[in-house]
Amino acid sequence: MTAKNKTVRIGGASGFWGDSSVGAPQLVASGQIDYLVFDYLAELTMSILAGARLKKPELGYATDFVTVAMRAVLRDVIDKGIRVVSNAGGVNPQGCADALAAVAAELGVPLRIAVVTGDDVLPLIPGLREADPPVRELQSGAAMPAQVLTANAYLGALPVKAALDAGAQVVITGRCVDSAVTLGILMHEFDWAPDAYEQLAAGSLAGHILECGCQATGGLHTDWDTVPDWAHIGYPIVECQQDGGFVVTKPAGTGGKVVPAVVGEQMLYEIGDPGAYLLPDVICDFTQVRMAQAGENRVEVQGARGRAPTDTYKVSATYLDGFKTSAHMTIIGFDAAAKAQRTGEAIFTRTSELLKENGLEPYTETNIELIGAESCYGPHARASQAREVVLRLSATHVRKEALQLLAREVAPAGTSWAPGTTGFGGGRASASPSIRQYAFLLDKSHVRPVMHLGGQATDIAVPPGSGDALRAVVARSAPSAAQADPADAADCVEVPLIRMAFARSGDKGDISNIGIIARHPEWLPVLRAQLTEVAVAGWLAHLVKGKVTRHEVPGIGAFNFVCESALGGGGMATLRNDSLGKGMAQIVLGMPVRIPVRLLLNH
């Protein structure tokens, strides 16, 4: 088969550390893949792994990759010639490789394992504190914090390519961008050059579709009730061509659903500006991507564009910022929401007084949520008369003992105040370190990616990138132009947005990313006129405290809304129940929009 006609088939077996154990065996047994990739790392995961390594130096990696996934499929992977790439190395990629080698030896399976290092830039932090100009956090502009726990640069695909070029059967990395495990495979298989930006963008998109597991095969789909057989949902497969085009599918006979709306939701997921998605190997432009059904559970994807990358890596650091806790109790009966709100306020009033009496500082932050009363909807809530509510109390403090005091004062509510108080969530709440993210940019010249294989260490040369590229991206920020509203005519009906659109949301630090796709192309002008930045910001004003920017994605008839200061500090720091903003798209889908009756009747 010539390179022009060659198809490379890659299965995505994991979307995060904690994903189901069925993914890898399902994909390997399917006979439909040449490569298996695993994505395990999030910012919080790196902190958890760093803590594990402090307790036991041989840990610090995603242990499930070795003890669950690879142990289950290792023999079959070798017998079928399937190669594996995973970022399961976390903060200890060599430890992960050593553990996998021990499993291979136990099973009598010869295995060539490559390790990628160089992402850990924690040793550079002291020097960066004195840098001129000073390092600033990407979103807030804050100075470098005092107690940095981890600092890892998001490496690209070139080290993965080098490892596969050298004959590795398994490649284990530390922190790299999630899509790089797939892009490295495609660069190896198709010999794409580091400046083949169109292909690199397409390969990065293929990796982005795979990186969240079943989100590409019907998971989290807006029309969830149309997705069959959740229990046996298929994990995603991309079938890639030399020119960068690819087909998204899943193993035959599995549950789930692969249609353009599903794949489109995943494309928009957490990418920020779709015209300038920054990766270390390429700046991607997905605005003109096209998707078409190419058979049952097969979606063809084409049209990604790329240009030269920036001269910096994004670094995700984490730091300790006091402690936090959350306590839960259930309140049943008439006026449950009102009783729960008063209970939460009473607990915080009492404990604030006790803190003062004990010479402790006030809480740094508190939060009351009424789960079951739609408190996350703010002024749009409709369940104020709920007769069963879970009261969620959360707080942060610089000292752990202050939160232990709070935890002691939760249970007395069971006999002191609201009738119907019960269900204290498994006992007294405990306090844990409050870990926050600090993201910044670091010149690529400061980072040294290294590929280790067979006792040899090979430095990986990375193109320097361009400072002009980042300046061009920053210059893209501009408010959306006003549009005439086709629904201004009298013959209109008001419907909730979910009637007209698909949507999915996710997080990047304290930013919420909400992708919205018109259900039918002719509805896009109606949505463009009504889903303005001002309208969406107003609808989410109880949650979003910063700027809202709308980006258009005409290739799939969609918008991507980037909402800043939207998650109460971000996934690791926020006290909100919806810490990652997964519910924000659902809240937006409740917005009322007007549509001409003639357009509605056409579908």
Side-chain angles (χ1 to χ4, degrees), residues 289-314:
V289 166
R290 302 175 304 282
M291 299 181 183
Q293 201 73 44
E296 185 179 3
N297 290 310
R298 294 179 63 81
V299 170
E300 185 176 22
V301 181
Q302 294 182 325
R305 299 173 178 175
R307 56 190 186 273
T310 70
D311 58 358
T312 55
Y313 286 113
K314 177 182 176 181

Side-chain angles (χ1 to χ4, degrees), residues 77 88-89 157 377 515 527:
V77 160
Y377 278 80
L527 296 179

Side-chain angles (χ1 to χ4, degrees), residues 42-254:
E43 288 80 9
L44 179 58
T45 310
M46 298 297 285
S47 295
I48 294 170
L49 294 175
R53 185 178 60 178
L54 284 173
K55 295 177 182 177
K56 294 185 71 174
E58 66 272 22
L59 294 181
Y61 60 89
T63 52
D64 289 0
F65 170 68
V66 176
T67 60
V68 179
M70 289 303 291
R71 178 176 283 276
V73 300
L74 187 55
R75 290 187 187 276
D76 288 339
V77 160
I78 299 305
D79 290 345
K80 296 182 179 184
I82 297 170
R83 300 169 82 177
V84 177
V85 183
S86 173
N87 62 11
V91 299
N92 188 8
Q94 188 59 57
C96 183
D98 292 343
L100 181 58
V103 170
E106 176 189 335
L107 298 176
V109 177
L111 194 62
R112 285 174 59 81
I113 306 172
V115 173
V116 175
T117 63
D119 61 293
D120 185 359
V121 297
L122 189 62
L124 302 181
I125 293 298
L128 294 174
R129 292 188 195 282
E130 310 302 323
D132 185 22
V135 170
R136 294 296 180 189
E137 208 279 330
L138 281 176
Q139 294 177 24
S140 67
M144 182 78 72
Q147 292 181 284
V148 176
L149 303 176
T150 64
N152 296 83
Y154 285 75
L155 300 183
L158 285 170
V160 174
K161 176 186 184 298
L164 296 171
D165 288 348
Q169 295 165 292
V170 177
V171 183
I172 296 173
T173 77
R175 200 33 163 143
C176 63
V177 293
D178 299 344
S179 57
V181 294
T182 296
L183 179 58
I185 292 169
L186 298 176
M187 294 183 76
H188 162 71
E189 284 284 347
F190 295 125
D191 198 26
W192 289 341
D195 61 354
Y197 300 126
E198 300 292 283
Q199 288 92 338
L200 298 188
S204 297
L205 178 54
H208 177 66
I209 297 302
L210 288 181
E211 70 188 44
C212 291
C214 295
Q215 287 185 196
T217 57
L220 308 192
H221 183 40
T222 304
D223 293 352
W224 58 271
D225 54 333
T226 69
V227 180
D229 199 3
W230 277 0
H232 306 102
I233 193 167
Y235 277 70
I237 298 170
V238 290
E239 300 173 351
C240 305
Q241 307 295 321
Q242 171 74 37
D243 66 358
F246 60 92
V247 169
V248 183
T249 186
K250 63 185 184 68
T254 59

Side-chain angles (χ1 to χ4, degrees), residues 204-551:
S204 297
L205 178 54
H208 177 66
I209 297 302
L210 288 181
E211 70 188 44
C212 291
C214 295
Q215 287 185 196
T217 57
L220 308 192
H221 183 40
T222 304
D223 293 352
W224 58 271
D225 54 333
T226 69
V227 180
D229 199 3
W230 277 0
H232 306 102
I233 193 167
Y235 277 70
I237 298 170
V238 290
E239 300 173 351
C240 305
Q241 307 295 321
Q242 171 74 37
D243 66 358
F246 60 92
V247 169
V248 183
T249 186
K250 63 185 184 68
T254 59
K257 178 180 180 179
V258 183
V259 296
V262 167
V263 180
E265 285 178 340
Q266 177 55 27
M267 184 182 83
L268 297 179
Y269 186 67
E270 299 181 346
I271 63 171
D273 182 351
Y277 182 38
L278 303 184
L279 297 174
D281 301 298
V282 61
I283 297 176
C284 301
D285 180 352
F286 296 154
T287 58
Q288 302 302 322
V289 166
R290 302 175 304 282
M291 299 181 183
Q293 201 73 44
E296 185 179 3
N297 290 310
R298 294 179 63 81
V299 170
E300 185 176 22
V301 181
Q302 294 182 325
R305 299 173 178 175
R307 56 190 186 273
T310 70
D311 58 358
T312 55
Y313 286 113
K314 177 182 176 181
V315 175
S316 179
T318 60
Y319 65 99
L320 181 64
D321 186 32
F323 299 86
K324 67 178 182 178
T325 193
S326 292
H328 300 78
M329 68 183 77
T330 304
I331 298 180
I332 300 170
F334 295 103
D335 302 315
K339 291 188 293 187
Q341 181 68 33
R342 185 177 176 187
T343 297
E345 291 170 354
I347 290 173
F348 278 135
T349 297
R350 172 180 285 180
T351 56
S352 293
E353 294 169 357
L354 290 173
L355 292 179
K356 185 176 181 179
E357 290 174 10
N358 284 273
L360 295 168
E361 301 92 330
Y363 296 113
T364 50
E365 188 178 2
T366 62
N367 194 43
I368 296 173
E369 289 180 285
L370 310 181
I371 301 171
E374 300 184 1
S375 62
C376 63
Y377 278 80
H380 317 301
R382 297 179 180 174
S384 60
Q385 299 305 311
R387 292 182 294 178
E388 181 183 65
V389 170
V390 174
L391 169 62
R392 184 175 188 269
L393 299 174
S394 302
T396 58
H397 200 280
V398 294
R399 297 173 64 176
K400 188 174 184 178
E401 55 265 38
L403 299 182
Q404 292 170 332
L405 183 153
L406 169 63
R408 289 196 301 270
E409 290 297 327
V410 170
T415 56
S416 297
W417 299 319
T421 301
T422 185
F424 285 84
R428 182 177 292 178
S430 60
S432 60
S434 179
I435 307 297
R436 292 182 179 263
Q437 181 188 7
Y438 184 92
F440 63 95
L441 299 178
L442 181 64
D443 192 282
K444 286 179 176 175
S445 64
H446 293 301
V447 180
R448 179 185 168 228
V450 180
M451 188 274 291
H452 308 261
L453 179 63
Q456 300 294 318
T458 304
D459 284 358
I460 306 301
V462 175
S466 167
D468 291 337
L470 183 59
R471 285 187 285 274
V473 169
V474 173
R476 284 177 51 85
S477 298
S480 300
Q483 301 284 335
D485 188 352
D488 280 343
D491 188 20
C492 289
V493 63
E494 186 174 273
V495 297
L497 178 60
I498 194 171
R499 178 67 177 82
M500 297 183 65
F502 306 101
R504 180 179 297 170
S505 54
D507 70 309
K508 279 287 182 252
D510 199 18
I511 289 175
S512 176
N513 185 118
I514 306 171
I516 297 175
I517 307 171
R519 289 181 179 269
H520 303 287
E522 60 266 40
W523 291 0
L524 189 62
V526 176
L527 296 179
R528 181 183 293 112
Q530 297 183 55
L531 294 181
T532 63
E533 293 165 346
V534 171
V536 171
W539 188 258
L540 295 175
H542 62 291
L543 297 173
V544 177
K545 305 308 176 185
K547 179 182 177 182
V548 174
T549 304
R550 185 180 78 180
H551 301 281

